[in-house]
Amino acid sequence: SVSARRLELWGLGPSQIEALARQTEAPRNVTFYSPTEGHVLDKNVFEGAGVMAGQRLFRIVDHHLLWLDI
């Protein structure tokens, strides 16, 4: 379905999508997992806040590539 594809594009896994599809009412919260590991530098959102498409919610330092400036 179109809704399942949108959830997939937002990074939800098949088990999360199936669990949402089984619910009879829309959930108050949906957990999104980050595709990146690292440390959070900036947190621009708080619990209960609405968000807009393209809005930066977090800035995460990715530790896969580090630069050292001496």
Side-chain angles (χ1 to χ4, degrees), residues 9-13 16 30-42 57-64:
L9 290 171
W10 287 340
L12 271 71
Q16 284 179 288
V30 177
T31 301
F32 291 86
Y33 295 96
S34 173
T36 304
E37 291 184 28
H39 288 89
V40 175
L41 284 184
D42 294 319
L57 306 179
F58 298 94
R59 189 168 69 152
I60 301 173
V61 176
D62 180 6
H63 296 291
H64 288 98

Side-chain angles (χ1 to χ4, degrees), residues 17-58:
I17 294 170
E18 289 171 15
L20 288 170
R22 286 192 301 270
Q23 294 185 3
T24 57
E25 294 183 18
R28 288 184 52 92
N29 299 306
V30 177
T31 301
F32 291 86
Y33 295 96
S34 173
T36 304
E37 291 184 28
H39 288 89
V40 175
L41 284 184
D42 294 319
K43 178 182 168 193
N44 301 317
V45 68
F46 54 91
E47 186 175 345
V51 296
M52 302 287 289
Q55 178 181 351
R56 179 187 283 184
L57 306 179
F58 298 94

